[in-house]
């Protein structure tokens, strides 16, 4: 299923969030903009101060893969939804991301994975396109307008 524009964020969050979202494409500013829009809708303005937001660079995750699993499964002190961001992910972390999505429970944090442009043969991209629990993929193209740039596969 493909959804464009403003409906993409509503579809991801309603009625309950999908366990994971892949944002990939160029430029990085568009990815960050979409991430910030989803973050605001999902966890609100105070997520960082309430320790409900965890951002993990993929380089750190390659050194210690348990960082992501621990962040997803952690129980927060403050009430409300939690969010884990894995930045600049590559195909090398596909098995870890798959494990997180397949073992996702209702109380786990929402996962957003960002990446540069991924080809159609990318393992990470294919994971988000075909994984059994509903997950979403949002491709961002450099030549697309800012408001009409989302494509989601479910």
């Amino acid at each position: 299923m493909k959804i464009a524009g403003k409906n993409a964020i509503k579809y991801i969050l309603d009625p309950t969030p999908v366990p994971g979202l892949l944002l990939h494409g160029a430029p990085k500013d568009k990815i960050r903009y979409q991430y910030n829009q989803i973050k605001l809708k999902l966890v609100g303005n105070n997520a960082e101060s309430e320790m409900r937001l965890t951002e993990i660079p993929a380089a750190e995750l390659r050194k210690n893969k348990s960082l992501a699993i621990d962040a997803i499964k952690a129980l927060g002190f403050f009430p409300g939804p939690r969010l884990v961001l894995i930045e600049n992910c590559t195909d090398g972390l596909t098995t870890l991301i798959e494990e997180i999505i397949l073992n996702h429970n209702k109380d786990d944090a929402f996962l957003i994975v960002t990446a540069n442009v991924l080809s159609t043969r990318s393992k990470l991209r294919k994971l988000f396109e075909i994984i059994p629990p509903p997950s979403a993929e949002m491709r961002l193209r450099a030549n697309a307008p800012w408001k009409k740039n989302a494509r989601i596969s479910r």
Side-chain angles (χ1 to χ4, degrees), residues 108-149:
D108 290 350
F110 183 78
L111 174 68
I112 295 181
V113 177
T114 65
N116 291 328
V117 178
L118 297 174
S119 72
T120 55
R121 289 186 244 154
S122 167
K123 292 178 185 177
L124 186 62
R125 183 172 167 179
K126 285 183 181 180
L127 170 70
F128 279 88
E129 289 175 349
I130 65 170
I131 194 109
S135 58
E137 174 207 6
M138 189 179 293
R139 278 177 298 241
L140 304 175
R141 301 179 315 256
N143 58 354
W146 280 79
K147 299 271 181 186
K148 299 178 182 175
N149 56 2

Side-chain angles (χ1 to χ4, degrees), residues 9-83:
I9 293 173
K10 184 178 177 186
Y11 180 74
I12 292 166
L13 301 176
D14 191 43
T16 56
V18 294
L21 171 67
L22 172 64
L23 295 172
H24 69 96
K28 287 187 177 186
D29 291 344
K30 276 190 179 181
I31 293 173
R32 196 67 181 177
Y33 174 79
Q34 288 293 342
Y35 163 69
N36 286 330
Q37 294 298 310
I38 294 167
K39 178 179 81 170
L40 185 64
K41 295 282 187 189
L42 186 66
V43 294
N45 288 330
N46 299 328
E48 203 163 344
S49 64
E50 292 177 353
M51 297 175 286
R52 294 185 293 120
L53 175 64
T54 306
E55 296 183 354
I56 306 169
E60 296 245 340
L61 203 53
R62 285 183 195 91
K63 296 175 191 171
N64 185 0
K65 295 187 189 274
S66 66
L67 286 174
I69 295 171
D70 292 345
I72 292 285
K73 299 290 182 185
L75 296 175
F77 180 72
F78 292 95
R82 293 172 295 111
L83 176 64

Side-chain angles (χ1 to χ4, degrees), residues 65-97:
K65 295 187 189 274
S66 66
L67 286 174
I69 295 171
D70 292 345
I72 292 285
K73 299 290 182 185
L75 296 175
F77 180 72
F78 292 95
R82 293 172 295 111
L83 176 64
V84 174
L85 169 70
I86 300 175
E87 294 181 285
N88 301 322
C89 200
T90 60
D91 284 345
L93 293 172
T94 302
T95 55
L96 174 66
I97 304 298

